[in-house]
Amino acid sequence: MDILLGILAVAVILGLSFLMSNDRKNINFKGIGIMLVVQLLITWFMFNTDIGQTIINGISWGFNKLIEYGTEGVNFVLGGVQVGENGVFFFNVLLIIIFFATILSVLTYLKILPFIIKYLGWGLSKITGLPKVESFNAVNSIFFGQSEALLAIKSQFHNLNDNRLYIVSASAMGSVSASIVGAYLGMLPAKYILVALPLNMFSALIVASIIAPVKVSKEEDHVDIQDVSNAKSFFEAMGNGALDGGKIALIVASMLIAFIASLELVNAIFGAVFNGFTLQELLGYIIAPIGLLMGIPAAEVIDAGAIMGTKVVTNEFVAMLEFQNMLDGVSEKTVGIVTVFLTSFANFSSIGIIAGTVQGIDSEKGGRVSGFGMKLLIGATLGSMLSATIAGLFL
């Protein structure tokens, strides 16, 4: 029954995307079918095979070791300050971002990441038939944040029509930055976060390719990527990464203060007007029907829907912090489905981030992104639901 519901959920998500499509005749159904099969194979391999489990455990071990090294740096700066029995989120989670951003910057300077991204993007383009710019941007978005991923293809923006602009924006919104994955791992199970990274890349492309199909001639299908590292030396790359990581940590902390405080204010107003009813509970009931199809047990679907809704109206960090407190009280299937859903930038604030980045590159195209901002958010959210549903089929 769970498998049938999951298949129905996939059909509903793809059906909604089809209804939103602005060019149904040119949808690349072959490429979409290939990407769906690849998603199923990746999830089966990671969850249901010994080799897959070994890979997940190995990557998780690597991240945990990096977190340990990063914690040493944090502890040195804090000078042994006691931060309480459960620690302080800013010290134990957010400051680790600085170390991960440094590593990312160094790997970029050494041309290791650009090499990997270039050929993964080329391979993705070959197997799916998607244009090279869209394929490169999708892979690049796994490693870099929304702004950085879009800036890497800024020289290509003059070639992007509205549909192509939608796809690259959707890939940026449907992804997460590698620099903050370590922070996620400090809150939720590693295996679901790591599986979510490739799943969300494909889901963003699947949904966006249905909503905004593209056809590019071979003559026009080329990619000219900007050098994403301006560092002149290894140590400058380290310094730039550390500064960028510090900015990210402070931005995330500022957003958490603002969003959590605002959420409490909204809930106080809701409670006064609706006799204790909260915004999260409302969101839970709204998302519950699709949550049931995704595979979440009926007894848990309202609470799980509330977490997913919280992520859309605030951000993934706020939702992850709330969901962290629920892990022991829900089934493993709910943990997996919700964690995969949360591992993306699909939320209201991302519309402004992406539109602002594009505005800085090309003011005219920035206005167009703002114009389809809500459609972008809906598409990215459907992509997150698709990833979570695929994961749920194997849990």
Side-chain angles (χ1 to χ4, degrees):
M1 178 60 74
D2 286 347
I3 293 177
L4 291 177
L5 286 175
I7 294 172
L8 180 58
V10 171
V12 169
I13 292 166
L14 298 183
L16 290 173
S17 303
F18 184 79
L19 290 175
M20 294 171 61
S21 179
N22 54 31
D23 188 7
R24 294 169 189 166
K25 293 181 180 179
N26 285 316
I27 294 175
N28 180 7
F29 289 106
K30 179 181 177 181
I32 289 164
I34 290 172
M35 287 188 281
L36 279 171
V37 171
V38 171
Q39 281 187 309
L40 292 169
L41 289 175
I42 288 174
T43 311
W44 169 80
F45 178 74
M46 290 299 190
F47 285 167
N48 292 5
T49 68
D50 292 337
I51 298 175
Q53 288 295 308
T54 300
I55 291 173
I56 287 179
N57 291 335
I59 296 174
S60 179
W61 177 87
F63 270 103
N64 286 331
K65 293 302 291 184
L66 291 176
I67 290 171
E68 287 180 19
Y69 300 142
T71 301
E72 287 298 316
V74 173
N75 289 340
F76 176 82
V77 172
L78 292 176
V81 173
Q82 296 296 315
V83 292
E85 182 180 348
N86 297 318
V88 174
F89 179 74
F90 182 75
F91 294 147
N92 290 358
V93 177
L94 293 189
L95 289 186
I96 300 298
I97 292 173
I98 296 173
F99 182 51
F100 276 82
T102 302
I103 293 173
L104 200 65
S105 179
V106 169
L107 291 175
T108 302
Y109 168 73
L110 296 175
K111 309 297 184 184
I112 295 173
L113 268 184
F115 177 83
I116 294 172
I117 293 168
K118 176 181 178 180
Y119 286 99
L120 284 178
W122 177 83
L124 181 62
S125 178
K126 282 293 183 183
I127 66 172
T128 63
L130 287 170
K132 292 177 182 176
V133 171
E134 285 82 341
S135 300
F136 172 88
N137 182 72
V139 176
N140 200 35
S141 294
I142 294 180
F143 297 94
F144 297 97
Q146 298 170 98
S147 300
E148 294 91 336
L150 291 172
L151 286 171
I153 59 168
K154 65 181 180 181
S155 63
Q156 303 292 108
F157 266 73
H158 65 281
N159 293 325
L160 302 182
N161 58 25
D162 284 358
N163 279 12
R164 300 187 72 185
L165 191 60
Y166 182 93
I167 292 178
V168 298
S169 298
S171 289
M173 185 181 283
S175 65
V176 293
S177 167
S179 62
I180 62 175
V181 168
Y184 296 157
L185 295 178
M187 295 182 282
L188 298 178
K191 63 180 179 180
Y192 301 128
I193 290 172
L194 296 176
V195 168
L197 299 180
L199 287 186
N200 281 333
M201 178 192 75
F202 283 111
S203 291
L205 285 174
I206 289 169
V207 173
S209 296
I210 296 174
I211 294 175
V214 294
K215 278 195 173 181
V216 179
S217 65
K218 290 185 178 180
E219 293 75 19
E220 297 177 342
D221 189 17
H222 59 87
V223 58
D224 174 27
I225 304 305
Q226 294 289 311
D227 190 353
V228 291
S229 176
N230 296 319
K232 302 297 188 294
S233 70
F234 179 90
F235 293 104
E236 184 180 352
M238 286 187 67
N240 290 344
L243 290 174
D244 289 342
K247 292 175 185 175
I248 294 170
L250 288 174
I251 288 170
V252 172
S254 300
M255 291 179 68
L256 284 173
I257 292 170
F259 279 121
I260 292 175
S262 299
L263 197 57
E264 288 299 312
L265 174 60
V266 171
N267 280 337
I269 296 172
F270 261 70
V273 175
F274 300 108
N275 193 28
F277 195 68
T278 66
L279 176 61
Q280 287 98 316
E281 289 175 313
L282 174 62
L283 295 170
Y285 283 105
I286 293 173
I287 295 178
I290 188 67
L292 285 172
L293 294 180
M294 290 165 66
I296 299 172
E300 301 169 359
V301 72
I302 300 298
D303 291 336
I307 296 296
M308 292 190 286
T310 298
K311 180 246 188 173
V312 174
V313 299
T314 56
N315 62 40
E316 75 281 3
F317 271 104
V318 176
M320 285 181 177
L321 284 170
E322 289 196 9
F323 191 50
Q324 186 180 25
N325 297 323
M326 295 170 51
L327 294 180
D328 294 334
V330 295
S331 65
E332 189 66 19
K333 186 159 190 170
T334 296
V335 171
I337 290 172
V338 175
T339 298
V340 171
F341 178 87
L342 296 182
T343 310
S344 82
F345 289 141
N347 57 64
F348 276 100
S349 60
S350 289
I351 299 174
I353 294 171
I354 291 173
T357 301
V358 177
Q359 181 78 23
I361 298 171
D362 186 317
S363 58
E364 179 187 352
K365 294 187 185 300
R368 292 179 183 176
V369 172
S370 297
F372 57 63
M374 279 302 301
K375 194 172 187 178
L376 186 61
L377 175 60
I378 294 170
T381 302
L382 288 174
S384 294
M385 288 180 171
L386 178 60
S387 296
T389 301
I390 296 293
L393 290 173
F394 297 90
L395 294 174

